[in-house]
Amino acid sequence: MARRDVLTIGHPALREPGRALRRDELATDDVQRLIDDLLETMRSANGAGLAATQVGEPVRIAVIEVKDNPRYPYKPDIPLTILVNPELTVLSNEQFESFEGCLSVPDLRGKVVRHAEIRVQAWDRNGERIEREVRGVSAGTFQHEVDHLDGTLFVDRVVDSRTLCTWEHFDTYHEEAVSAAARALVERWGS
Ligand code: NI
């Protein structure tokens, strides 16, 4: 495994959609190594997720894992999930405000609107089908990562640019309210 450099906003590769992988490509050493690298890179940067496009690999793979995350202490845990060729389906009209950050957008956070109930269909790293319904705060994390595979960053979805803030000012001025809102979402949706 190796840690990869995470591309930051302005790099054109972040804007290139990833392409779908075939099962035989997924089984290759190169792609399996890429998945290991994504995991190591995400964990070492305390990310909640990481997409292959963020390390300059234009393929539809994203990894997600949340466990007592110091960058997002209010996020409920998500067990390690490897998504290959993920497809999201929106299950209801319910939406919520999500204050997001991104390893590719250093020191900036902002408020976006996410769907509260989605179905995730994908393959795991062995090409086995995954189908899962995800609700609440965790649903936002999945939408953020799949956005990366389409060349979309959270800043594209910020409705009011006045919500943009540094991490320092987030902690000082917004963390308390955002944590309370996240706790209410977890209470309602269970995640
Ligand atoms: Ni991101």
Side-chain angles (χ1 to χ4, degrees):
M1 290 211 280
R3 207 177 297 174
R4 304 277 193 107
D5 288 335
V6 177
L7 304 179
T8 51
I9 186 167
H11 195 296
L14 284 172
R15 297 309 196 167
E16 291 295 323
R19 68 174 178 82
L21 283 165
R22 300 186 312 269
R23 273 203 170 80
D24 60 304
E25 292 177 285
L26 176 58
T28 61
D29 288 348
D30 279 355
V31 174
Q32 292 295 315
R33 196 174 308 122
L34 169 61
I35 291 170
D36 288 336
D37 291 354
L38 288 171
L39 290 177
E40 181 172 344
T41 306
M42 170 181 70
R43 286 170 172 163
S44 70
N46 289 319
L50 188 66
T53 49
Q54 290 180 272
V55 300
E57 299 284 354
V59 291
R60 299 185 78 78
I61 300 174
V63 298
I64 293 172
E65 183 179 50
V66 179
K67 196 173 189 307
D68 304 326
N69 189 303
R71 271 164 60 92
Y72 304 101
Y74 51 84
K75 271 190 196 251
D77 288 356
I78 303 176
L80 173 62
T81 306
I82 293 160
L83 299 172
V84 179
N85 300 338
E87 302 282 349
L88 302 185
T89 308
V90 176
L91 296 178
S92 74
N93 292 325
E94 293 277 352
Q95 296 185 316
F96 68 97
E97 289 182 337
S98 173
F99 222 115
E100 299 191 3
C102 180
L103 295 175
S104 292
V105 185
D107 201 25
L108 199 67
R109 303 190 70 161
K111 198 184 279 184
V112 306
V113 176
R114 296 293 188 187
H115 298 288
E117 299 187 280
I118 58 169
R119 176 179 298 120
V120 184
Q121 291 170 295
W123 296 339
D124 68 12
R125 68 183 302 164
N126 300 313
E128 301 292 330
R129 275 175 56 90
I130 300 172
E131 181 166 336
R132 196 188 299 175
E133 290 182 4
V134 186
R135 293 184 167 77
V137 177
S138 299
T141 303
F142 279 75
Q143 288 163 78
H144 177 115
E145 295 312 323
V146 174
D147 266 355
H148 276 300
L149 302 180
D150 296 323
T152 297
L153 300 175
F154 83 86
V155 288
D156 307 337
R157 297 193 182 277
V158 168
V159 179
D160 180 355
S161 57
R162 288 173 301 180
T163 65
L164 291 169
C165 66
T166 64
W167 282 69
E168 181 188 352
H169 292 326
F170 177 84
D171 285 345
T172 306
Y173 298 110
H174 303 287
E175 206 273 340
E176 202 177 325
V178 170
S179 290
R183 280 194 299 275
L185 284 166
V186 172
E187 208 159 288
R188 173 162 182 205
W189 298 108
S191 58

